[in-house]
């Protein structure tokens, strides 16, 4: 039914792969071998597991929120319970799912392989950062069991510094600890890219995914400490009564907002940049073309990382900063849109006259480009001072950031998962189901969040458990969409797990794509390559002769190894 | 090595958040900050500054001893570094205790005259404890690292060929010292001099 044949451009390589072979999955056995592993690939999988759990928990809270909003009255949840539900949803989704998602899973797994390294620069530190993340996760789950927090994911004082019912201290500490995990990951990636590249892997040949990870790591390393110290001060304020943010004690809550957004706006790019990196890979692989404007895409990642640090003030337009400051931040926010727009244009140009094949990862990539564009444009609405005064804290904002975070990053995450799954697990999933799921996610997503633009524009405020009856139709649509979206997430969980046991064996390069990760065997050996690769070609060296039918037959001439030339040293 | 530099960069931003808060509130409560600053003991602060500068020197000598495969030198200078670090922390304890007895710790028991300046002064002490506390935490971690280095030196691990850990921990130690070089004038000296006056100003 599904025309899925595992083909390997190198027929012989495929033959040898049938015999049992040592790879990173079967090299050692037992729980201890996994929990003490220093192999970046296994650590990536440990993250994959942990993050999936968090996504599930965050999703349950999202459903609670949506169900409450099905009717105008606040009937399902009390207003306190509702506050807790959306706060825990936001905190878990942002800090425990989205921030670590692509870097910790796919960055860990593929960044070293893509630059031809045996591992990251500091393998032990890598494992440690997973344990730190787990400690943080444990703390946030404890917070949950103790009743959760109700401050919103932004922890604005005075919600977070006064009011005794909430478990702010533990939650803030959890995010503080989680921050260390991302700092260590970022540090590891930066050093890895600088010092571990294979011979011939010049900066100009780095895959764009690696560039994106590099820029992301810079933000993690520079931004996270500021968040950490900010939450540390909230902690000190609650425990030791330091009056840093409390006006009663002489402090200034706006300072918190400045410090918080100094991190959290760049954090938006921590969430989106890795996704952009994934999309560059997918667009190239499934349109069989060199990425148009490689230099621009790489440079725009860095530009985003830098300018991203200068725009935090657009979250404070209504918080009483000076009019001049507001103006400057407004202008800077428009500027930061430029590098993002450059990327969108370059992807589109790459697609243009490419031999596009609509495999499931590509569906996610196309979804990303569309939804991210909508999210970005509505962001410009919000960056325009006058409009923001009207929309701040309405559902328009909710819709805007979900278009970026879910429509953008989450789709990229799913795209990456589908693209690299065969390489990671050595198995092929059923492509037909994957296509169904991708379409379901797309439809469900738009049905959930598009109505929120409208209802927000009409004036429905966020963070209330009841609303005026006029808004009900749009809210019912949104909740219906959320249910479809949920199905769109459950489906992949099913067929991916199924593929682990029943999936066909994947060859070395099922998509016929370029990149060192497709040159090595599937699943990769413990040290990534049997022989150290020597890179002699730029990334994405697709030529017309390479036109292959991914996941299916190969037309002749498909690049030998489907990637950069590999020679033994 | 590159890793340590990147790590120190994150540390700079970590302290940076506190410095931001300091700058802002010092602007708002200039007078209270100056008044409150006079309750710190410049004498002890100065003493500790000397201690840290000395420890930076011994640290540099320890690295040098690593470079030249001089095991005895490593042991001597690492020990000295640890002793100096501990002395610094000991003085910090004395100073903190003094703040406690004089009700200068933020919270319910905080008392300050003139009371008009109390809110600003309380903020000053909040920042004082946050900044010096964080710095002291770094010192404690640093002393722990030095103990490990001492053990490795004892086992004769460092030589001209390989002394990277020593070099990297030296970098960290110098960084922590430099932070103090910023903290000392910002916290102790803005109110003018009052040698050894301590919290006994009232
Ligand atoms: C399964 C799909 C999702 C649904 C149906 C959903 C629904 C919602 C709703 C209704 C709110 C508004 C709460 C309020 O302010 O009253 C909300 C807030 C939020 N959502 Fe989602 N969400 C979903 C997925 C995600 C994902 C994947 C993320 C991850 C980035 C996310 C991040 C957030 C954040 C940060 C908030 C703001 C919370 C706050 O105001 O404190 N959501 N979500
Ligand atoms: Cu922002």
């Amino acid at each position: 039914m599904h025309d899925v044949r595992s083909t390997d451009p190198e027929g012989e390589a495929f033959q040898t792969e049938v015999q049992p072979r040592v790879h990173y999955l079967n090299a050692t056995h037992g729980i201890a071998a996994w929990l003490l592993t220093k192999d970046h690939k296994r650590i990536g999988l440990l993250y994959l597991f942990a993050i999936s759990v968090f996504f599930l928990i965050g999703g349950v809270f999202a459903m609670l929120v949506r169900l409450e909003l099905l009717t105008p009255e606040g009937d399902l949840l009390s207003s306190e319970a509702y506050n807790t539900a959306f706060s825990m949803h936001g905190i878990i989704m942002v800090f425990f799912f989205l921030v670590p998602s692509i870097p910790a899973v796919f960055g860990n797994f593929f960044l070293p392989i893509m630059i031809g390294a045996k591992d990251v620069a500091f393998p032990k530190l890598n494992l440690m950062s997973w344990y730190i993340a787990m400690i943080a996760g444990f703390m946030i789950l404890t917070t949950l069991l103790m009743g959760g927090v109700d401050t919103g994911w932004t922890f604005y004082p005075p919600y977070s510094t006064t009011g005794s019912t909430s478990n702010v201290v533990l939650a803030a500490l959890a995010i503080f600890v989680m921050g260390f995990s991302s700092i260590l990951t970022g540090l590891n990636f930066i050093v890895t890219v600088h010092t571990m590249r294979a011979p011939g892997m010049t900066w100009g040949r780095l895959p764009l995914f690696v560039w994106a990870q590099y820029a992301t790591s810079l933000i993690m390393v520079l931004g996270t400490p500021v968040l950490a110290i900010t939450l540390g001060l909230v902690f000190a304020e609650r425990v030791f009564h330091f009056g840093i943010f409390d006006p009663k004690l002489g402090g200034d809550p706006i300072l918190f907002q400045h410090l918080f957004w100094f991190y959290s706006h760049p954090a938006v790019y921590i969430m989106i940049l890795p996704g952009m990196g994934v999309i560059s890979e997918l667009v190239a692989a499934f349109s069989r073309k060199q990425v148009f404007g490689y230099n621009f895409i790489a440079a725009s990642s860095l530009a985003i990382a830098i300018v991203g640090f200068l725009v935090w003030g657009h979250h404070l337009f209504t918080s009483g900063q000076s009019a001049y400051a507001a103006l400057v931040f407004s202008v800077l926010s428009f500027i930061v849109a430029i590098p993002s727009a450059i990327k969108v244009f370059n992807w589109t140009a790459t697609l243009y006259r490419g031999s596009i094949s609509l495999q499931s990862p590509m569906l996610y990539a196309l979804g990303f480009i569309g939804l991210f564009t909508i999210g970005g444009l509505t962001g410009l609405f919000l960056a325009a001072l006058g409009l923001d005064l009207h929309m701040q804290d309405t559902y328009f904002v909710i819709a805007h950031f979900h278009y970026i975070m879910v429509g953008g990053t989450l789709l990229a995450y799913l795209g990456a998962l589908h693209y690299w799954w065969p390489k990671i697990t050595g198995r092929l999933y059923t492509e037909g189901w994957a296509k169904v799921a991708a379409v379901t996610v797309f439809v469900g997503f738009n049905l959930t969040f598009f109505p929120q633009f409208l209802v927000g524009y009409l004036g429905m405020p966020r963070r209330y458990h009841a609303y005026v009856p006029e808004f009900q139709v749009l809210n019912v649509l949104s909740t219906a969409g959320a249910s479809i979206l949920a199905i769109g997430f459950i489906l992949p969980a099913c067929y991916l797990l199924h593929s682990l046991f029943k999936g066909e064996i994947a060859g070395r390069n099922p998509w016929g794509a370029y990149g060192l990760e497709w040159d090595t065997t599937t699943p990769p050996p413990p040290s990534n390559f049997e022989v150290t690769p020597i890179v002699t070609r730029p990334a994405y060296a697709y030529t017309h002769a390479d036109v292959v039918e991914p996941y299916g037959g190969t037309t002749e001439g498909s690049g030998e190894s489907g990637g950069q030339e590999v020679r033994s040293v | 090595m590159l890793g340590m530099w990147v790590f120190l960069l994150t540390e700079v931003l970590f302290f940076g958040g506190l410095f931001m808060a300091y700058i802002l509130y010092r602007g708002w409560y200039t007078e209270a900050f100056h008044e409150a600053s006079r309750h710190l003991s410049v004498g002890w602060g100065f003493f500790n500054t000397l201690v840290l500068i000395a420890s930076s020197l011994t640290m540099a000598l320890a690295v040098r001893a690593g470079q030249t495969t001089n095991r005895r030198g490593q042991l001597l200078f690492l020990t000295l570094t640890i002793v100096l670090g501990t002395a610094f922390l000991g003085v910090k304890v004395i100073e903190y205790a003094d703040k406690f007895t004089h009700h200068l710790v933020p919270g319910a028991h905080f008392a300050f005259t003139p009371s008009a300046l109390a809110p600003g002064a309380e903020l000053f002490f909040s920042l004082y404890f946050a900044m010096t506390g964080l710095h002291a935490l770094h010192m404690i971690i640093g002393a722990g690292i030095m103990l490990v280095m001492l053990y490795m030196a004892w086992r004769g691990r460092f030589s001209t060929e390989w002394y990277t850990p020593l070099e990297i921990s030296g970098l960290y130690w110098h960084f922590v010292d430099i932070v103090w070089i910023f903290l000392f004038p910002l916290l102790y000296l803005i109110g003018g001099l009052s040698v050894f006056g301590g919290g006994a100003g009232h």
Side-chain angles (χ1 to χ4, degrees):
Chain A
M1 187 177 70
H2 315 292
D3 177 25
V4 179
R5 278 183 293 130
S6 72
T7 43
D8 193 295
E10 267 177 305
E12 280 159 86
F14 182 60
Q15 293 299 314
T16 55
E17 263 164 47
V18 179
Q19 279 129 41
R21 174 179 72 78
V22 177
H23 52 72
Y24 82 101
L25 288 170
N26 67 8
T28 50
H29 290 283
I31 302 274
W34 276 85
L35 290 182
L36 296 177
T37 182
K38 280 176 247 133
D39 185 335
H40 64 102
K41 299 182 284 305
R42 288 190 171 195
I43 294 174
L45 290 191
L46 291 178
Y47 270 112
L48 177 64
F49 175 75
I51 283 179
S52 307
V53 172
F54 281 115
F55 184 69
L56 187 68
I57 300 174
V60 169
F61 280 109
M63 278 328 277
L64 279 179
V65 168
R66 267 327 321 162
L67 285 177
E68 166 59 57
L69 295 179
L70 203 50
T71 54
E73 308 81 36
D75 33 21
L76 179 65
L77 301 172
S78 68
S79 55
E80 288 81 16
Y82 181 81
N83 289 349
T84 308
F86 78 71
S87 301
M88 293 314 290
H89 163 66
I91 291 172
I92 290 182
M93 284 300 199
V94 169
F95 295 108
F96 291 85
F97 173 73
L98 218 51
V99 168
S101 61
I102 296 177
V105 178
F106 301 110
N108 251 327
F109 199 108
F110 285 107
L111 181 131
I113 303 186
M114 287 167 106
I115 63 172
K118 284 192 164 57
D119 205 317
V120 291
F122 309 114
K124 273 190 223 153
L125 210 61
N126 203 14
L127 180 64
M128 194 168 113
S129 78
W130 185 76
Y131 275 101
I132 295 179
M134 288 309 98
I135 292 172
F138 183 74
M139 288 163 75
I140 205 73
L141 291 183
T142 313
T143 316
L144 242 179
L145 294 180
M146 285 163 49
V149 298
D150 57 3
T151 57
W153 72 281
T154 48
F155 288 95
Y156 274 15
Y159 306 128
S160 56
T161 49
T162 51
S164 51
T165 50
S166 56
N167 306 304
V168 172
V169 171
L170 192 57
L173 222 53
I175 295 172
F176 183 94
V177 174
M178 193 68 190
F180 277 100
S181 167
S182 20
I183 291 177
L184 292 184
T185 304
L187 194 148
N188 223 332
F189 286 177
I190 291 177
V191 180
T192 305
V193 173
H194 272 274
T195 60
M196 310 276 287
R197 282 169 288 129
M201 179 53 87
T202 56
W203 286 87
R205 287 177 181 164
L206 288 181
L208 289 166
F209 179 72
V210 175
W211 270 110
Q213 286 296 335
Y214 183 77
T216 311
S217 303
L218 283 180
I219 309 179
M220 285 178 167
V221 162
L222 294 175
T224 318
V226 179
L227 175 77
I229 197 66
T230 311
L231 292 174
L233 286 173
V234 169
F235 173 82
E237 185 145 345
R238 279 199 83 98
V239 177
F240 306 122
H241 303 282
F242 285 12
I244 311 274
F245 302 126
D246 186 349
K248 274 212 304 292
L249 300 174
D252 180 9
I254 306 294
L255 175 66
F256 175 91
Q257 297 193 15
H258 276 290
L259 290 175
F260 181 85
W261 286 110
F262 179 80
Y263 163 78
S264 288
H265 186 85
V268 177
Y269 296 108
I270 293 184
M271 298 183 235
I272 197 73
L273 267 176
M276 293 170 155
V278 169
I279 299 309
S280 300
E281 299 296 321
L282 297 184
V283 164
F286 293 96
S287 52
R288 315 264 125 211
K289 266 179 63 184
Q290 263 185 63
V291 171
F292 183 85
Y294 169 94
N295 290 333
F296 279 101
I297 296 193
S300 66
S301 289
L302 291 181
I304 287 177
I306 294 161
V307 185
F309 273 106
L310 306 176
V311 298
W312 75 91
H314 63 211
H315 296 272
L316 287 82
F317 286 156
T318 60
S319 302
Q321 64 184 354
S322 82
Y324 291 111
L327 194 67
V328 171
F329 282 127
S330 182
V331 171
L332 283 170
S333 304
F334 278 101
I335 291 178
V336 79
I338 295 173
S340 309
I342 288 179
K343 286 189 198 273
V344 173
F345 287 135
N346 281 312
W347 291 325
T348 320
T350 310
L351 291 173
Y352 179 68
R353 300 191 58 187
S355 13
I356 296 173
S357 60
L358 292 177
Q359 305 288 319
S360 53
M362 186 59 160
L363 294 181
Y364 286 111
L366 295 177
F368 175 103
I369 296 176
L371 300 181
F372 175 75
T373 308
I374 298 178
L377 288 178
T378 52
L380 285 184
F381 275 51
L382 293 173
L385 267 176
L387 271 175
D388 187 54
L389 293 183
H390 173 66
M391 311 267 224
Q392 173 119 38
D393 278 332
T394 66
Y395 260 82
F396 194 91
V397 174
I398 300 271
H400 155 67
F401 68 60
H402 281 88
Y403 265 79
I404 303 266
M405 299 203 288
V406 184
T409 310
L410 189 66
L411 287 202
Y413 177 81
L414 290 174
L417 189 63
H418 285 81
Y419 182 53
W420 281 314
W421 184 264
K423 181 55 76 177
I424 295 175
T425 63
R427 301 285 184 153
L428 299 173
Y429 50 83
T430 25
E431 173 65 14
W433 278 110
K435 282 184 179 145
V436 172
V439 173
T440 313
V441 167
F442 187 80
V443 171
F445 172 83
N446 280 297
L447 192 56
T448 310
F449 293 105
F450 196 77
Q452 295 185 6
F453 276 128
L454 304 178
V455 83
Y457 189 78
L458 294 175
M460 177 165 159
R462 69 195 272 204
R463 300 191 170 177
Y464 288 91
H465 74 145
Y467 52 89
V468 291
E470 287 87 315
F471 296 146
Q472 187 169 15
V473 176
L474 288 168
N475 273 296
V476 169
L477 279 181
S478 181
T479 301
S483 317
I484 297 176
L485 192 53
I487 295 173
F489 295 142
I490 294 169
L491 274 178
C494 297
Y495 61 74
L496 288 180
L497 286 179
H498 175 262
S499 81
L500 287 183
F501 305 101
K502 293 276 157 63
E504 280 180 64
I505 305 287
R508 185 189 289 258
N509 186 359
W511 310 110
Y514 273 108
L516 288 181
E517 80 268 35
W518 302 112
D519 285 344
T520 190
T521 41
T522 294
S527 60
N528 295 344
F529 300 95
E530 255 106 47
V531 287
T532 306
I534 297 180
V535 183
T536 55
R537 281 191 266 176
Y540 320 112
Y542 293 98
T543 59
H544 277 299
D546 294 327
V547 176
V548 293
E549 189 79 6
Y551 239 45
T554 317
T555 62
E556 14 91 69
S558 69
E560 250 106 277
S561 58
Q564 284 98 335
E565 221 165 278
V566 181
R567 289 206 214 104
S568 48
V569 252
Chain B
M1 210 61 202
L2 177 64
M4 195 59 186
W5 280 110
V6 177
F7 176 73
L8 293 183
L9 199 63
T10 76
E11 289 274 25
V12 168
L13 280 136
F14 196 58
F15 280 99
L18 285 174
F19 280 109
M20 267 281 285
Y22 174 90
I23 292 166
L24 181 83
Y25 290 130
R26 185 173 162 194
W28 281 17
Y29 301 104
T30 315
E31 212 193 323
F33 265 49
H34 289 183
E35 195 54 47
S37 164
R38 289 196 194 105
H39 289 260
L40 299 183
S41 155
V42 176
W44 278 129
F46 185 64
F47 175 77
N48 257 349
T49 309
L50 291 184
V51 168
L52 280 195
I53 291 176
S55 81
S56 254
L57 180 69
T58 55
M59 186 67 230
L61 290 170
V63 176
R64 172 98 197 113
Q67 225 165 13
T68 53
T69 328
N70 172 357
R71 179 163 163 274
R72 284 195 52 205
Q74 294 165 26
L75 295 179
L76 173 69
F77 290 121
L78 282 172
T79 312
L80 277 179
T81 309
I82 294 171
V83 169
L84 289 168
T86 317
F88 176 94
L89 289 169
V91 170
K92 233 38 255 163
V93 171
I94 298 176
E95 287 191 76
Y96 280 1
D98 181 70
K99 301 294 163 301
F100 261 103
T101 48
H102 290 94
H103 300 290
L104 291 175
V105 179
H109 298 290
F110 187 81
F112 195 83
T113 42
S115 56
L117 296 180
E122 190 165 2
L123 268 177
F124 176 85
F125 280 104
S126 294
L127 284 168
Y128 167 79
F129 280 106
M131 293 165 111
T132 57
L134 194 64
H135 177 261
L137 187 67
H138 279 78
M139 291 288 297
I140 294 172
I141 294 172
I145 296 175
M146 289 312 143
L147 280 176
V148 177
M149 290 303 119
L150 193 63
Y151 175 73
M152 289 174 81
W154 178 262
R155 302 278 304 270
R157 298 283 295 279
F158 302 128
S159 68
T160 315
E161 285 79 53
W162 190 75
Y163 59 98
T164 322
L166 204 52
E167 201 181 7
I168 290 178
S169 23
L171 212 55
Y172 173 83
W173 190 266
H174 294 314
F175 170 79
V176 178
D177 288 356
I178 290 173
V179 172
W180 178 258
I181 302 292
F182 281 94
L183 291 182
F184 175 61
L186 287 181
L187 294 172
Y188 287 75
L189 297 184
I190 55 172
L193 287 183
S194 68
V195 184
F196 285 103
H202 52 122

